[in-house]
């Protein structure tokens, strides 16, 4: 295809409840949306998963927008026969910025698949029509409020609970929830909040039969994760550290991770995500689909990925209502703990333009 127009739009959408992690407290989501239009007039949408501030990863919304305008869009827009598969190759010389690149690749892919009338799920190799939902629970003010929040999710039917932890909000929080729900699939996410000397403390989590502990140490501390994995029984699962197929392969080879959280934005797109999925399937490594508090645009695409056969653990692919009072697409509604995988062409959803315009804080057309 030839790109005729690229629209970059920033929206501001409130969260239904504050989301507190070891790195920030978020009460709303600022999201950069990409809309491409090709020579046929076909539109493709995507969402850049970067947050407002560079606290989870080095990328941040305003930086991503600048990066797109300054370097990435100029590299793509002159091409006459652009395909989504070309995008990562063309953008490779520009180092880093995986979330930014992923957003451009996905918007091009959405338009390409709409032109061919193929769903993203089919394109990626999905084998499931619905996906089991987990939910990520932020750090609470106290254990009572944590128990209330978890109860609301268990009652809603979520099939796996993930607790955000940090030093001082870990053993007691996990113990509380495990005692209330002796059988529920439970895991924790530290977002790099611990250091190598904390293996004793993290070993105390072994007694709670957790599915995994996500990213306990610094994103660059692959050796530290490998050492920790030998010390504790809970499987270590890397999130922040895995930014490419190469880094996934390295971490597996070094035994720094025995489960992988695949987030398409973090690894540079859905095409790279499938490669990581395939690597893991070949090595019998379970994978699950992470989340970045996406709107319906990003959620639709994540569900397509999570429908691949290697995604054997429930992901952070929760219903729209877990995040927003009103989503920008048709809401994703959970039924019996599952979300349906969109079947329409491309990502299978489009935004409600009236609502989108209402919450838009900035729009530019290139
Ligand atoms: O570490 O998985 C994470 C949200 C934003 C940034 C990082 C993470 C998260 C979540 C929430 O845990 C996942 C979701 O429900 O989208
Ligand atoms: Mg995580």
């Amino acid at each position: 295809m030839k790109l005729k127009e690229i629209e970059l739009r920033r929206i501001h959408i409130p969260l239904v409840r504050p989301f507190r992690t070891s790195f920030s407290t978020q009460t709303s989501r600022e999201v950069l949306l990409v809309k491409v239009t090709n020579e046929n007039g076909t539109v493709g949408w995507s969402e850049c998963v970067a947050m407002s501030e560079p606290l989870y990863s080095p990328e941040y919304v305003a930086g991503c927008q600048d990066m797109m305008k300054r370097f990435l869009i100029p590299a793509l827009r002159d091409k006459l026969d652009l395909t989504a598969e070309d995008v990562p190759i063309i953008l490779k010389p520009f180092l880093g910025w995986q979330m930014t690149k992923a957003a451009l690749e996905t918007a091009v892919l959405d338009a390409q698949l709409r032109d061919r009338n193929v769903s993203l799920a089919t394109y990626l190799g999905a084998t499931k029509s619905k996906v089991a939902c987990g939910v990520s629970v932020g750090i609470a003010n106290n254990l009572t409020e944590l128990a209330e929040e978890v109860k609301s999710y268990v009652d809603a039917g979520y099939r796996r609970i993930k607790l955000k932890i940090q030093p001082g909000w870990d053993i007691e929080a996990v113990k509380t929830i495990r005692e209330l729900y002796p059988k529920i699939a439970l895991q924790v996410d530290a977002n790099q909040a611990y250091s190598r000397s904390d293996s004793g403390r993290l070993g105390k989590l072994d007694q709670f039969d957790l599915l995994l502990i996500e990213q306990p140490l610094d994103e660059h501390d692959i050796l530290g994760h490998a050492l920790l994995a030998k010390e504790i029984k809970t499987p270590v699962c890397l999130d922040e550290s895995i930014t490419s197929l190469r880094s996934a392969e390295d971490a597996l080879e070094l035994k720094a991770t025995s489960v992988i959280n695949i987030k398409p934005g973090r690894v540079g797109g859905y095409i790279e995500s499938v490669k990581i999925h395939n690597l893991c399937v070949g090595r019998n490594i379970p994978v699950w689909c992470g989340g970045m508090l996406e709107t319906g645009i990003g959620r639709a695409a994540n569900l397509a990925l999570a429908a691949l056969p290697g995604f054997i653990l429930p992901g952070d692919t929760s219903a729209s209502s877990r995040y927003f009072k009103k989503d920008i697409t048709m809401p994703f509604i959970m039924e019996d703990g599952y979300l349906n995988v969109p079947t329409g062409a491309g990502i299978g959803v489009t935004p409600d333009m009236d609502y989108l315009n209402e919450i838009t804080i900035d729009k530019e057309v290139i």
Side-chain angles (χ1 to χ4, degrees):
M1 73 178 76
K2 172 93 177 75
L3 295 177
K4 284 290 179 204
E5 189 183 282
I6 296 139
E7 180 188 292
L8 303 180
R9 180 192 287 257
R10 275 186 301 131
I11 60 168
H12 182 264
I13 179 166
L15 293 170
V16 290
R17 50 158 43 111
F19 185 63
R20 181 163 157 215
T21 63
S22 58
F23 62 86
S24 75
T25 302
Q26 214 136 341
T27 54
S28 64
R29 190 77 171 86
E30 179 193 17
V31 185
L32 175 61
L33 297 173
V34 180
K35 177 190 169 200
V36 300
T37 309
N38 69 17
E39 77 280 17
N40 304 325
T42 306
V43 165
W45 283 99
S46 73
E47 159 170 3
C48 179
V49 299
M51 319 237 100
S52 305
E53 299 167 300
L55 301 176
Y56 163 79
S57 85
E59 291 177 88
Y60 60 100
V61 173
C64 299
Q65 193 168 351
D66 184 71
M67 188 66 195
M68 285 185 189
K69 280 191 295 189
R70 200 180 292 269
F71 299 109
L72 306 184
I73 292 173
L76 297 175
R77 68 167 314 167
D78 300 334
K79 306 287 173 201
L80 294 175
D81 281 310
L82 183 70
T83 66
E85 296 79 8
D86 297 332
V87 172
I89 299 162
I90 296 167
L91 301 185
K92 194 166 191 294
F94 303 102
L95 303 179
W97 300 90
Q98 285 87 342
M99 295 173 179
T100 314
K101 292 172 176 176
L104 291 170
E105 179 192 289
T106 308
V108 172
L109 183 56
D110 185 35
Q112 177 173 315
L113 296 176
R114 285 180 199 267
D115 271 341
R116 298 178 189 170
N117 197 26
V118 172
S119 71
L120 179 63
T122 300
Y123 171 84
L124 296 176
T127 53
K128 296 177 269 188
S129 60
K130 59 179 189 170
V131 167
C133 300
V135 60
S136 177
V137 184
I139 293 166
N141 293 321
N142 53 60
L143 296 171
T144 311
E145 288 182 25
L146 177 73
E148 278 167 13
E149 185 176 347
V150 169
K151 180 177 188 303
S152 73
Y153 296 136
V154 173
D155 290 349
Y158 282 101
R159 290 177 176 265
R160 186 226 66 198
I161 301 293
K162 157 169 145 182
L163 303 180
K164 291 289 189 178
I165 58 166
Q166 65 182 12
W169 182 266
D170 43 21
I171 316 300
E172 282 302 307
V174 173
K175 182 170 186 281
T176 301
I177 300 307
R178 179 48 90 210
E179 281 174 1
L180 288 168
Y181 305 100
K183 293 264 154 64
I184 205 156
L186 187 62
Q187 64 190 52
V188 291
D189 186 359
N191 290 109
Q192 318 184 51
Y194 294 87
S195 55
R196 287 189 188 186
S197 58
D198 290 321
S199 64
R201 184 170 188 90
L202 294 174
K204 295 202 177 107
L205 293 172
D206 284 347
Q207 58 188 303
F208 301 117
D209 189 27
L210 300 177
L211 284 171
L212 56 91
I213 176 169
E214 200 180 330
Q215 198 72 40
L217 310 178
D218 185 278
E219 61 172 331
H220 300 294
D221 196 5
I222 303 302
L223 175 59
H225 284 99
L227 295 170
L228 178 67
K230 283 201 264 188
E231 295 286 318
I232 65 175
K233 286 217 287 289
T234 307
V236 172
C237 170
L238 292 178
D239 172 356
E240 285 91 324
S241 299
I242 307 298
T243 55
S244 61
L245 174 66
R246 178 66 58 80
S247 61
E249 203 168 0
D250 289 357
L252 289 173
E253 203 61 47
L254 294 166
K255 300 202 183 313
T257 194
S258 53
V259 186
I260 291 183
N261 163 343
I262 302 183
K263 283 183 187 168
R266 202 194 58 227
V267 304
Y270 288 87
I271 296 172
E272 190 81 355
S273 297
V274 172
K275 291 181 185 168
I276 297 173
H277 162 270
N278 295 347
L279 168 78
C280 291
V281 169
R283 295 184 182 212
N284 264 314
I285 294 292
V287 302
W288 55 281
C289 185
M292 291 290 289
L293 312 174
E294 286 91 346
T295 69
I297 294 290
R299 189 162 312 283
N302 283 349
L303 288 168
L305 179 70
L308 269 66
F311 285 79
I312 59 171
L313 295 170
D316 285 344
T317 44
S318 314
S320 294
S321 61
R322 182 258 172 268
Y323 309 94
F324 314 111
K325 204 156 106 190
K326 182 169 163 59
D327 205 336
I328 65 170
T329 59
M330 290 281 287
F332 283 90
I333 297 168
M334 192 167 67
E335 282 169 41
D336 193 28
Y338 288 86
L339 284 180
N340 287 323
V341 178
T343 55
I347 63 170
V349 297
T350 49
D352 167 345
M353 292 312 298
D354 288 339
Y355 184 51
L356 205 57
N357 288 330
E358 227 176 90
I359 58 175
T360 294
I361 48 179
D362 178 72
K363 187 176 104 169
E364 53 184 336
V365 176
I366 298 159

